[in-house]
Amino acid sequence: MDEFIREVDEEYRRQRIAEIWKRYSALIVGVAFLLVAGVAGWRYWQHVELQRSEAASAQYDAAAALARDGKADEAQKAFDALAAQGGGGYGPLARLRAAAEAGKGSPEAGAKAFDAVANDTSVETSLRDLARLRAAMLRLGGAEAQGATAELERLATPTNAWRHTARELLGLTALQAGNMDVASRWFDQIATDRDTPPGLRSRLEIYTALAAGGPVQTVQ
Protein backbone atom coordinates (compact mmCIF):
# COMPACT_ATOMS: atom_id res chain seq x y z
CA MET A 1 0.00 0.00 0.00
CA ASP A 2 2.84 2.44 0.88
CA GLU A 3 4.54 1.73 -2.47
CA PHE A 4 1.28 2.34 -4.30
CA ILE A 5 0.77 5.66 -2.51
CA ARG A 6 4.32 6.78 -3.38
CA GLU A 7 3.80 5.92 -7.07
CA VAL A 8 0.52 7.83 -7.16
CA ASP A 9 2.17 10.79 -5.44
CA GLU A 10 5.12 10.84 -7.87
CA GLU A 11 2.79 10.58 -10.85
CA TYR A 12 0.75 13.47 -9.53
CA ARG A 13 3.88 15.60 -9.12
CA ARG A 14 5.03 14.77 -12.65
CA GLN A 15 1.68 15.82 -14.03
CA ARG A 16 1.77 19.07 -12.06
CA ILE A 17 5.30 19.85 -13.28
CA ALA A 18 4.25 19.11 -16.86
CA GLU A 19 1.27 21.44 -16.53
CA ILE A 20 3.39 24.20 -15.03
CA TRP A 21 5.99 23.83 -17.76
CA LYS A 22 3.33 23.88 -20.48
CA ARG A 23 1.76 27.01 -19.06
CA TYR A 24 4.89 28.96 -18.03
CA SER A 25 7.71 27.54 -20.19
CA ALA A 26 8.15 30.77 -22.19
CA LEU A 27 8.35 32.81 -18.99
CA ILE A 28 10.80 30.39 -17.35
CA VAL A 29 13.05 30.36 -20.42
CA GLY A 30 12.88 34.16 -20.64
CA VAL A 31 13.87 34.63 -16.98
CA ALA A 32 16.70 32.12 -17.35
CA PHE A 33 17.93 33.95 -20.46
CA LEU A 34 17.88 37.29 -18.63
CA LEU A 35 19.84 35.81 -15.72
CA VAL A 36 22.48 34.38 -18.04
CA ALA A 37 22.67 37.62 -20.01
CA GLY A 38 22.92 39.63 -16.78
CA VAL A 39 25.78 37.50 -15.45
CA ALA A 40 27.57 37.69 -18.80
CA GLY A 41 27.12 41.47 -18.92
CA TRP A 42 28.44 41.82 -15.36
CA ARG A 43 31.48 39.71 -16.17
CA TYR A 44 32.17 41.76 -19.31
CA TRP A 45 31.83 45.02 -17.37
CA GLN A 46 34.30 43.73 -14.76
CA HIS A 47 36.72 42.80 -17.53
CA VAL A 48 36.46 46.24 -19.17
CA GLU A 49 36.85 48.02 -15.84
CA LEU A 50 39.92 45.94 -15.03
CA GLN A 51 41.49 46.83 -18.36
CA ARG A 52 40.72 50.51 -17.86
CA SER A 53 42.11 50.42 -14.34
CA GLU A 54 45.32 48.75 -15.50
CA ALA A 55 45.75 51.29 -18.30
CA ALA A 56 45.11 54.19 -15.89
CA SER A 57 47.59 52.70 -13.41
CA ALA A 58 50.26 52.54 -16.12
CA GLN A 59 49.56 56.16 -17.12
CA TYR A 60 49.71 57.29 -13.50
CA ASP A 61 53.02 55.51 -12.93
CA ALA A 62 54.47 57.06 -16.10
CA ALA A 63 53.39 60.55 -15.01
CA ALA A 64 54.80 59.98 -11.51
CA ALA A 65 58.12 58.91 -13.08
CA LEU A 66 58.24 62.20 -15.00
CA ALA A 67 57.70 64.08 -11.74
CA ARG A 68 60.48 62.12 -10.02
CA ASP A 69 62.81 62.94 -12.92
CA GLY A 70 62.18 66.65 -12.42
CA LYS A 71 60.13 67.04 -15.60
CA ALA A 72 57.42 69.08 -13.89
CA ASP A 73 55.73 70.46 -17.01
CA GLU A 74 55.55 67.07 -18.70
CA ALA A 75 54.34 65.43 -15.50
CA GLN A 76 51.59 68.00 -15.04
CA LYS A 77 50.39 67.49 -18.63
CA ALA A 78 50.37 63.73 -18.13
CA PHE A 79 48.40 64.01 -14.87
CA ASP A 80 45.99 66.49 -16.50
CA ALA A 81 45.41 64.08 -19.39
CA LEU A 82 44.66 61.20 -17.02
CA ALA A 83 42.35 63.39 -14.94
CA ALA A 84 40.46 64.44 -18.08
CA GLN A 85 39.89 60.79 -19.00
CA GLY A 86 38.42 60.01 -15.60
CA GLY A 87 40.79 57.08 -15.21
CA GLY A 88 38.57 55.21 -12.76
CA GLY A 89 39.90 55.67 -9.23
CA TYR A 90 43.05 57.29 -10.65
CA GLY A 91 41.17 60.35 -11.94
CA PRO A 92 40.98 62.22 -8.61
CA LEU A 93 44.51 61.12 -7.69
CA ALA A 94 45.78 62.46 -11.01
CA ARG A 95 44.03 65.76 -10.34
CA LEU A 96 45.71 66.01 -6.94
CA ARG A 97 49.13 65.27 -8.42
CA ALA A 98 48.54 67.76 -11.25
CA ALA A 99 47.67 70.41 -8.65
CA ALA A 100 50.82 69.57 -6.72
CA GLU A 101 52.94 69.97 -9.85
CA ALA A 102 51.22 73.30 -10.60
CA GLY A 103 51.98 74.42 -7.05
CA LYS A 104 55.70 73.97 -7.62
CA GLY A 105 55.66 76.75 -10.19
CA SER A 106 52.91 78.90 -8.68
CA PRO A 107 51.54 78.31 -5.18
CA GLU A 108 48.36 80.19 -6.02
CA ALA A 109 47.79 78.19 -9.21
CA GLY A 110 48.32 74.99 -7.28
CA ALA A 111 45.96 76.12 -4.51
CA LYS A 112 43.24 76.91 -7.04
CA ALA A 113 43.68 73.49 -8.64
CA PHE A 114 43.31 71.89 -5.22
CA ASP A 115 40.22 74.05 -4.62
CA ALA A 116 38.65 72.60 -7.77
CA VAL A 117 39.06 69.08 -6.38
CA ALA A 118 37.82 70.13 -2.92
CA ASN A 119 34.64 71.61 -4.43
CA ASP A 120 33.87 68.61 -6.65
CA THR A 121 31.12 66.63 -4.94
CA SER A 122 31.77 63.61 -7.17
CA VAL A 123 35.12 63.09 -5.40
CA GLU A 124 35.08 61.11 -2.15
CA THR A 125 35.15 63.13 1.05
CA SER A 126 38.61 62.11 2.29
CA LEU A 127 40.24 63.18 -1.00
CA ARG A 128 38.31 66.46 -1.00
CA ASP A 129 39.60 67.14 2.52
CA LEU A 130 43.12 66.28 1.40
CA ALA A 131 42.75 68.84 -1.39
CA ARG A 132 41.65 71.44 1.19
CA LEU A 133 44.68 70.59 3.31
CA ARG A 134 47.09 70.92 0.40
CA ALA A 135 45.52 74.20 -0.72
CA ALA A 136 45.87 75.60 2.81
CA MET A 137 49.51 74.50 2.96
CA LEU A 138 50.26 76.43 -0.22
CA ARG A 139 48.55 79.56 1.13
CA LEU A 140 50.02 79.60 4.64
CA GLY A 141 52.98 81.79 3.75
CA GLY A 142 51.08 84.24 1.55
CA ALA A 143 48.42 86.93 1.66
CA GLU A 144 45.68 84.37 2.29
CA ALA A 145 47.35 82.87 5.36
CA GLN A 146 44.43 83.77 7.63
CA GLY A 147 41.94 81.93 5.42
CA ALA A 148 44.32 78.98 5.22
CA THR A 149 44.52 78.84 9.01
CA ALA A 150 40.72 78.83 9.26
CA GLU A 151 40.57 75.96 6.74
CA LEU A 152 43.11 73.98 8.75
CA GLU A 153 41.07 74.52 11.91
CA ARG A 154 38.04 73.00 10.18
CA LEU A 155 40.15 69.99 9.24
CA ALA A 156 41.53 69.61 12.77
CA THR A 157 38.27 68.20 14.17
CA PRO A 158 38.47 64.86 16.06
CA THR A 159 36.82 62.81 13.31
CA ASN A 160 38.68 64.16 10.29
CA ALA A 161 41.16 61.83 8.61
CA TRP A 162 43.69 64.64 8.11
CA ARG A 163 43.44 66.16 11.60
CA HIS A 164 46.96 65.13 12.61
CA THR A 165 48.64 67.05 9.80
CA ALA A 166 46.26 70.00 10.22
CA ARG A 167 47.03 70.23 13.96
CA GLU A 168 50.77 69.99 13.35
CA LEU A 169 50.65 72.78 10.78
CA LEU A 170 48.52 74.96 13.05
CA GLY A 171 50.90 74.40 15.95
CA LEU A 172 53.96 75.18 13.88
CA THR A 173 52.34 78.28 12.38
CA ALA A 174 51.54 79.58 15.86
CA LEU A 175 55.03 78.67 17.05
CA GLN A 176 56.59 80.58 14.18
CA ALA A 177 54.43 83.60 14.97
CA GLY A 178 55.44 83.50 18.65
CA ASN A 179 51.94 82.54 19.84
CA MET A 180 53.11 79.95 22.33
CA ASP A 181 49.75 79.49 24.07
CA VAL A 182 48.02 78.74 20.76
CA ALA A 183 50.85 76.45 19.72
CA SER A 184 50.67 74.57 23.02
CA ARG A 185 46.92 74.09 22.62
CA TRP A 186 47.36 72.40 19.26
CA PHE A 187 50.26 70.32 20.50
CA ASP A 188 48.14 69.20 23.48
CA GLN A 189 45.46 67.97 21.07
CA ILE A 190 48.08 65.95 19.23
CA ALA A 191 49.37 64.48 22.49
CA THR A 192 45.95 63.41 23.77
CA ASP A 193 44.78 61.84 20.51
CA ARG A 194 45.30 58.08 20.81
CA ASP A 195 45.51 57.74 17.02
CA THR A 196 48.38 60.21 16.57
CA PRO A 197 50.99 58.56 14.29
CA PRO A 198 54.27 57.53 15.98
CA GLY A 199 56.36 59.82 13.78
CA LEU A 200 54.33 62.85 14.81
CA ARG A 201 54.60 61.86 18.48
CA SER A 202 58.38 61.82 18.12
CA ARG A 203 58.39 65.33 16.64
CA LEU A 204 55.96 66.48 19.32
CA GLU A 205 58.68 66.30 22.00
CA ILE A 206 60.65 68.95 20.14
CA TYR A 207 57.57 71.09 19.49
CA THR A 208 56.44 71.12 23.12
CA ALA A 209 59.94 71.94 24.30
CA LEU A 210 60.07 74.91 21.93
CA ALA A 211 56.62 76.09 23.02
CA ALA A 212 57.56 75.79 26.69
CA GLY A 213 60.70 77.86 26.13
CA GLY A 214 58.66 80.87 25.04
CA PRO A 215 59.42 83.30 22.21
CA VAL A 216 63.04 83.60 21.20
CA GLN A 217 64.53 86.84 22.45
CA THR A 218 67.03 88.60 20.26
CA VAL A 219 70.01 89.94 22.25
CA GLN A 220 71.30 93.31 21.01
Side-chain angles (χ1 to χ4, degrees):
M1 178 61 73
D2 290 342
E3 185 66 26
F4 173 74
I5 292 174
R6 279 197 299 271
E7 289 180 2
V8 170
D9 188 50
E10 290 174 3
E11 182 63 26
Y12 175 75
R13 285 202 298 269
R14 281 195 292 269
Q15 289 178 357
R16 288 292 298 161
I17 292 171
E19 290 175 3
I20 292 172
W21 175 254
K22 185 176 180 180
R23 182 178 298 180
Y24 300 109
S25 59
L27 178 60
I28 293 171
V29 171
V31 171
F33 177 79
L34 289 174
L35 286 173
V36 172
V39 171
W42 171 251
R43 293 295 185 188
Y44 176 73
W45 180 85
Q46 285 183 314
H47 173 69
V48 171
E49 285 298 302
L50 178 61
Q51 287 186 318
R52 289 177 58 187
S53 179
E54 289 176 346
S57 176
Q59 286 180 267
Y60 187 88
D61 289 343
L66 290 172
R68 287 194 300 270
D69 293 340
K71 300 176 181 178
D73 291 340
E74 294 178 45
Q76 185 176 352
K77 290 178 181 177
F79 284 125
D80 283 337
L82 180 55
Q85 294 172 17
Y90 286 91
L93 294 179
R95 292 175 66 186
L96 290 172
R97 285 298 300 268
E101 294 302 320
K104 292 177 181 178
S106 168
E108 184 52 33
K112 288 181 178 179
F114 281 121
D115 287 342
V117 179
N119 295 326
D120 188 344
T121 55
S122 68
V123 177
E124 66 174 276
T125 302
S126 62
L127 291 182
R128 292 174 66 192
D129 282 345
L130 175 58
R132 293 185 179 97
L133 177 69
R134 295 297 301 274
M137 290 172 67
L138 288 171
R139 289 180 170 130
L140 273 177
E144 298 180 80
Q146 186 173 355
T149 299
E151 188 68 77
L152 288 174
E153 289 176 353
R154 285 190 286 271
L155 294 172
T157 56
T159 58
N160 192 279
W162 307 104
R163 65 187 182 277
H164 308 298
T165 303
R167 290 168 179 170
E168 183 175 15
L169 289 170
L170 286 165
L172 289 174
T173 300
L175 195 65
Q176 186 177 32
N179 297 325
M180 300 304 168
D181 290 340
V182 175
S184 295
R185 186 171 71 247
W186 289 115
F187 295 148
D188 286 344
Q189 289 191 30
I190 295 172
T192 56
D193 191 329
R194 292 183 299 177
D195 295 324
T196 294
L200 177 52
R201 279 198 190 280
S202 298
R203 296 192 296 275
L204 188 61
E205 295 181 14
I206 299 173
Y207 300 158
T208 52
L210 290 172
V216 176
Q217 302 294 326
T218 303
V219 178
Q220 299 292 337

